[in-house]
Amino acid sequence: MRTIGFVALPLVVLVWSLADLTLGRELVEWVPYLASGFAMNIVISLSAMALGTVVGTMFGILELVSYRLIRYPVVVYVQVFRNAPHLVLIFGTTYIFPFEIVIFGNYLAFPDWVKAVIGLAIPASAYVAEITRGAILSVPTTQWEAAQGLGFSRVQALRWVVLPQCLRRALPPWMNVLASITMGTALASLVGVHELLHAATDASTAVRRLDFTIIAYIVVMAAFFTLCYPIANLTRRLERRFNAA
C-alpha cells in the first residue's frame, strides 16, 4: 500500500499531460528549469545537514561535559533552536549576513542559497546535538569502564569505543532530520533562492494557464515525495533492524 503513494503523483502528472498535449508540451519545455531548481533543493539540504551534523555532534558531546560554563550555553542553544521556526531562521540569516564580503580588498558575493544553508543548518545542528547526546547516554557504562580498563583516556574511549556504537542508534533519527530539512528547503524560495518551488512559480507566471499552474505544483509535490519517501522508508527499516538486534 505504501508504494501506491510513491507512484500516484507522477502518474497523475503523466496522465494529465497526455490528456492535453498542449499542456504536456508546456510542461516538457519547463522540465529542465524545474530540474535545475530541484537540484538546488538537494544541494541546500545536503549542505545544511553536513554542517548541522558536524556542529550538532560537537554540541551533543559538550552537553555532557561537567563544566557548567560550557554546558549551559550549549543547552540553551539547543533548546532555543530546536523550537525555532525554520522560516524565521532563514529570514534571519538572509538579513543578518551581508550580501557581499570583502576578502583582501576583493568583493565576493554572499549568495542567498548559502544563507539558506546556514539558516537550515542551525535547527539541524540542534536536533543532531540531542540525537548525539541521547545516543551517548544509551551506551552502557560498562563500555566506558572496559575502555578505561584497557588504558584509554576519556576522550579516546569516546572516540574509539562509544561513538562507533552511537552510529547505529543515531542513524534513524538523523535520517528523519534529513527528511525534515529537505522539505524545509522549499522555504528558501521566499528569500529569492532559485529552487523548485521558486521555479514552479516562475513557470506558472510565464505560462499563465490555470491547469499548468496546478500541474506545476503537483510536480513540486511529486519531486519532494519521490526524494523524501525513500528516506522515510529506509529509516523504518533501520529502526526495525536495530530493534531486532
Side-chain angles (χ1 to χ4, degrees):
M1 292 294 294
R2 291 171 180 169
T3 58
I4 294 178
F6 188 71
V7 299
L9 287 176
L11 187 61
V12 167
V13 174
L14 178 62
V15 172
W16 199 340
S17 300
L18 292 176
D20 187 342
L21 294 181
T22 60
L23 176 63
R25 284 194 297 269
E26 293 280 7
L27 183 61
V28 169
E29 290 178 1
W30 283 96
V31 162
Y33 188 72
L34 297 174
S36 66
F38 192 49
M40 180 56 70
N41 289 96
I42 296 174
V43 169
I44 293 174
S45 64
L46 294 181
S47 301
M49 278 306 298
L51 180 58
T53 299
V54 172
V55 175
T57 301
M58 293 189 297
F59 280 6
I61 296 172
L62 292 177
E63 281 191 282
L64 299 173
V65 301
S66 57
Y67 300 104
R68 294 181 180 180
L69 290 178
I70 297 176
R71 185 174 74 251
Y72 284 177
V74 174
V75 171
V76 170
Y77 172 93
V78 170
Q79 294 304 318
V80 168
F81 290 116
R82 278 181 63 204
N83 299 288
H86 294 182
L87 180 59
V88 173
L89 295 175
I90 291 175
F91 269 107
T93 54
T94 298
Y95 292 107
I96 289 173
F97 290 101
F99 292 97
E100 59 184 11
I101 56 178
V102 182
I103 300 179
F104 301 113
N106 298 315
Y107 288 85
L108 300 178
F110 199 145
D112 287 336
W113 73 268
V114 175
K115 299 175 186 178
V117 167
I118 298 173
L120 290 173
I122 292 173
S125 65
Y127 285 116
V128 172
E130 283 296 276
I131 292 171
T132 302
R133 183 185 67 85
I136 292 175
L137 291 176
S138 69
V139 176
T141 56
T142 53
Q143 297 293 317
W144 291 93
E145 296 169 354
Q148 291 174 353
L150 293 173
F152 289 117
S153 67
R154 187 79 174 174
V155 174
Q156 289 174 330
L158 177 67
R159 168 66 180 83
W160 299 107
V161 178
V162 176
L163 287 181
Q165 297 183 58
C166 292
L167 181 61
R168 60 181 293 177
R169 295 174 169 86
L171 187 57
W174 181 90
M175 294 183 68
N176 280 328
V177 176
L178 173 60
S180 176
I181 294 299
T182 300
M183 290 184 288
T185 58
L187 298 173
S189 65
L190 298 178
V191 293
V193 177
H194 172 68
E195 49 75 62
L196 180 58
L197 185 59
H198 190 276
T201 302
D202 288 345
S204 174
T205 303
V207 176
R208 295 184 179 182
R209 286 182 55 176
L210 178 60
D211 53 355
F212 181 84
T213 299
I214 295 173
I215 202 72
Y217 288 112
I218 291 177
V219 168
V220 172
M221 290 190 295
F224 277 105
F225 185 82
T226 303
L227 181 62
C228 293
Y229 176 78
I231 297 175
N233 196 33
L234 180 58
T235 301
R236 286 192 295 267
R237 291 183 181 181
L238 290 174
E239 287 175 343
R240 288 195 297 265
R241 180 180 301 176
F242 293 158
N243 290 334

